[in-house]
Amino acid sequence: MFTLNPRDAKPIYLQIKEQYIRFIVSGVLGAGEKLPSVRQLATQLSINPNTIQRAYAELEAEGYCYSQAGRGSFVAQRTDWDTSRRDALIAQLQSTAQALRSLGMSEAELTALLSKREEV
Amino acid sequence: MFTLNPRDAKPIYLQIKEQYIRFIVSGVLGAGEKLPSVRQLATQLSINPNTIQRAYAELEAEGYCYSQAGRGSFVAQRTDWDTSRRDALIAQLQSTAQALRSLGMSEAELTALLSKREEV
Amino acid sequence: MFTLNPRDAKPIYLQIKEQYIRFIVSGVLGAGEKLPSVRQLATQLSINPNTIQRAYAELEAEGYCYSQAGRGSFVAQRTDWDTSRRDALIAQLQSTAQALRSLGMSEAELTALLSKREEV
Amino acid sequence: MFTLNPRDAKPIYLQIKEQYIRFIVSGVLGAGEKLPSVRQLATQLSINPNTIQRAYAELEAEGYCYSQAGRGSFVAQRTDWDTSRRDALIAQLQSTAQALRSLGMSEAELTALLSKREEV
DNA sequence: GTGGTCTAGACCACA
DNA sequence: GTGGTCTAGACCACA
């Protein structure tokens, strides 16, 4: 399920966190579903448990999951993270678009860019 | 002219670099204009000259300015940085748009976002 | 393994960088191999860690290696540096050839030079 | 006659020196011809005389010209600089070719590169 | 004066 | 332990 890229400059805890966000946002992991325990995932990925712990802590801080002592961590309701994330992305989209305008890009060109999905 | 936040997770040299990019891209600083000297800016911002040096070195590496021992640093011609910057922004725009799509945003909504200029 | 000449006009960080490039390009250091840590190499060469840091940072910027806080620095895949290096060398070959032509060397002589491998 | 590029990272004294080498090597300036005086050239280029002085000193050290106290500087005989310069360029050509071979370039490709004159 | 390199040494994030 | 950032301050090349 997880792909960790050791060559990436991105810290491992962030790679884990961002993959979880992708899974949760896309619905691969539904609200209420249980995340693997810190120890379990650490063993599975051959990684230090501290690293997993940090990823989980940030996910929880941003409302993507919640943890219950003794039971584990679970995917949160969409309402807990939806709005703030959306707002952040919208702000970023608009500021990037603004930067492209200041390089002389027209509205038509900007709109055209959106229809071309990036490949990666 | 400069706003530095030493508590920011973003390194100081990057804060300086990015502010200069904004000034240059927006035309506040025109091609050929002299940047303040490394030492001068260091004193003014109460920052170590090495930190300024690093910001200037990266600006030069990315084509935003050029520098000469004994003379100073100067804003480069637009052609020197135009394309690379454009490409970076386009990639960012598309990846942000993709993230919004995975939150369920439609193409129509995305396009609508572009017409609303952000205020900042 | 390393030869440093502190009297050389060429900065130390560049001497280190260029030697690493030679090792990586020639295959002495293979993709994925770990470079010595910044501190380790600094002690071994009796050089300031900042100087090593700079060499490593430039190697990474040019795609010869990648580094991760907490883990170390590693030799990159060949595909990451191949093209850019090739282009640089081609430019250098052609400009040197041009200089020799302006000394009156004929095309036949130039071609002949290529078949004689230099010994070093 | 002279083109100085203030945007070039190359020091001005070097730009002057290299342009003289080009003139001398190509025969634009013939053996025995008088170079402009340091002061004269400094005024003409609006440049510090020290800068010119340094260019002339290096040209003389490398055998491209000679100076006579009270009379001025004159272009040297070709035999004074020809061989050493030629040798240096040949060595560089061969070592660059060798580097390209280690990237997998064939002899045929190398030879082909020579026939394509670089444009600049 | 101006940029570039370097040493010495501190502190932080990450694994 | 490992890389990344930063301060303080020195010395060099160049104009």
Side-chain angles (χ1 to χ4, degrees):
Chain A
M1 185 158 168
F2 272 96
T3 329
L4 292 185
N5 179 9
R7 296 180 50 199
D8 201 329
K10 193 172 287 184
I12 293 179
Y13 85 91
L14 250 191
Q15 294 188 38
I16 294 172
K17 177 186 167 190
E18 292 184 354
Q19 276 185 73
Y20 264 118
I21 292 185
R22 231 169 292 133
F23 290 144
I24 294 172
V25 159
S26 65
V28 172
L29 288 172
E33 255 186 272
K34 189 173 184 310
L35 302 184
S37 81
V38 169
R39 272 182 220 123
Q40 195 180 329
L41 191 58
T43 320
Q44 181 190 325
L45 300 175
S46 321
I47 272 184
N48 192 310
N50 290 331
T51 306
I52 311 284
Q53 183 60 53
R54 166 131 195 211
Y56 277 32
E58 296 207 355
L59 283 168
E60 189 172 357
E62 295 174 26
Y64 289 100
C65 67
Y66 58 93
S67 64
Q68 296 188 328
R71 290 196 53 226
S73 299
F74 304 85
V75 175
Q77 297 298 320
R78 182 178 183 123
T79 45
D80 293 337
W81 46 264
D82 198 20
T83 321
S84 66
R85 179 167 160 79
R86 204 181 186 96
D87 289 352
L89 287 169
I90 289 178
Q92 200 189 351
L93 186 84
Q94 295 187 322
S95 102
T96 309
Q98 194 53 43
L100 281 164
R101 281 189 196 99
S102 71
L103 283 181
M105 188 172 286
S106 72
E107 298 306 313
E109 288 172 301
L110 276 174
T111 310
L113 281 178
L114 284 189
S115 48
K116 287 185 218 139
R117 307 272 173 111
E118 64 162 348
E119 48 232 53
V120 162
Chain B
M1 187 156 170
F2 273 96
T3 328
L4 290 187
N5 179 5
R7 295 212 195 133
D8 199 329
K10 190 170 289 185
I12 297 177
Y13 81 89
L14 256 189
Q15 297 184 39
I16 295 172
K17 178 185 167 189
E18 292 182 355
Q19 282 185 67
Y20 264 117
I21 291 184
R22 230 168 292 134
F23 290 144
I24 293 173
V25 161
S26 65
V28 172
L29 289 172
E33 254 185 272
K34 192 171 182 315
L35 303 184
S37 85
V38 170
R39 283 168 182 73
Q40 196 180 327
L41 190 58
T43 317
Q44 181 189 326
L45 300 176
S46 314
I47 271 183
N48 191 287
N50 284 329
T51 304
I52 310 285
Q53 175 71 39
R54 169 143 191 199
Y56 278 28
E58 296 208 355
L59 284 168
E60 185 172 7
E62 295 174 23
Y64 290 100
C65 68
Y66 58 94
S67 60
Q68 290 178 295
R71 294 198 49 227
S73 301
F74 306 85
V75 176
Q77 298 297 321
R78 183 192 178 112
T79 46
D80 293 336
W81 46 263
D82 200 18
T83 319
S84 67
R85 179 166 162 79
R86 205 182 186 94
D87 291 350
L89 287 170
I90 288 176
Q92 200 189 350
L93 186 85
Q94 294 187 323
S95 101
T96 309
Q98 194 54 41
L100 281 165
R101 282 189 195 100
S102 70
L103 282 179
M105 188 172 284
S106 71
E107 297 305 312
E109 286 172 300
L110 276 174
T111 310
L113 281 177
L114 284 189
S115 46
K116 289 184 216 139
R117 308 265 170 121
E118 64 159 350
E119 45 235 57
V120 162
Chain C
M1 189 158 169
F2 273 94
T3 328
L4 291 187
N5 179 4
R7 295 212 198 132
D8 198 329
K10 189 171 291 186
I12 297 177
Y13 82 90
L14 255 190
Q15 297 184 38
I16 295 172
K17 178 185 167 189
E18 291 181 355
Q19 282 186 66
Y20 264 116
I21 291 184
R22 230 168 292 133
F23 290 144
I24 293 172
V25 161
S26 65
V28 172
L29 289 172
E33 254 185 273
K34 191 173 182 314
L35 303 184
S37 83
V38 170
R39 284 170 181 72
Q40 197 179 327
L41 190 58
T43 318
Q44 181 189 326
L45 300 176
S46 314
I47 272 184
N48 190 288
N50 284 330
T51 305
I52 310 285
Q53 175 73 39
R54 169 143 193 200
Y56 278 27
E58 296 208 354
L59 284 169
E60 185 172 5
E62 294 174 23
Y64 288 101
C65 69
Y66 58 95
S67 60
Q68 291 178 294
R71 293 197 50 226
S73 300
F74 306 85
V75 175
Q77 298 296 321
R78 185 193 176 110
T79 46
D80 294 336
W81 45 263
D82 200 18
T83 319
S84 67
R85 179 166 161 79
R86 205 182 186 94
D87 290 351
L89 287 169
I90 288 177
Q92 200 189 352
L93 186 85
Q94 296 186 322
S95 102
T96 309
Q98 194 54 42
L100 281 164
R101 282 190 194 99
S102 71
L103 283 180
M105 189 172 284
S106 72
E107 297 304 314
E109 288 173 299
L110 275 174
T111 310
L113 281 178
L114 284 189
S115 47
K116 289 186 217 139
R117 308 267 171 119
E118 65 160 348
E119 44 235 57
V120 163
Chain D
M1 185 157 168
F2 273 95
T3 330
L4 292 185
N5 178 9
R7 296 182 48 199
D8 202 328
K10 193 171 287 185
I12 292 177
Y13 86 91
L14 251 190
Q15 294 187 38
I16 294 172
K17 176 185 167 191
E18 292 183 355
Q19 276 185 72
Y20 265 119
I21 292 184
R22 230 169 293 133
F23 290 144
I24 294 172
V25 159
S26 65
V28 172
L29 289 173
E33 253 185 273
K34 189 172 183 313
L35 302 184
S37 81
V38 169
R39 273 182 221 124
Q40 195 179 331
L41 191 57
T43 320
Q44 181 189 327
L45 299 175
S46 320
I47 271 183
N48 192 310
N50 290 330
T51 305
I52 311 283
Q53 183 59 53
R54 166 132 194 210
Y56 277 32
E58 296 205 356
L59 283 168
E60 189 171 357
E62 294 173 26
Y64 289 99
C65 67
Y66 57 94
S67 64
Q68 296 188 330
R71 290 196 53 226
S73 299
F74 304 86
V75 175
Q77 297 297 321
R78 182 183 182 118
T79 44
D80 294 336
W81 46 264
D82 198 18
T83 320
S84 67
R85 179 168 159 78
R86 205 182 186 94
D87 290 351
L89 286 169
I90 289 177
Q92 200 189 352
L93 186 84
Q94 295 186 321
S95 103
T96 309
Q98 193 53 44
L100 281 164
R101 281 189 196 100
S102 72
L103 282 181
M105 189 172 284
S106 71
E107 297 306 314
E109 287 172 300
L110 276 173
T111 311
L113 281 178
L114 284 189
S115 48
K116 288 185 217 139
R117 306 270 172 114
E118 62 160 350
E119 49 232 55
V120 160

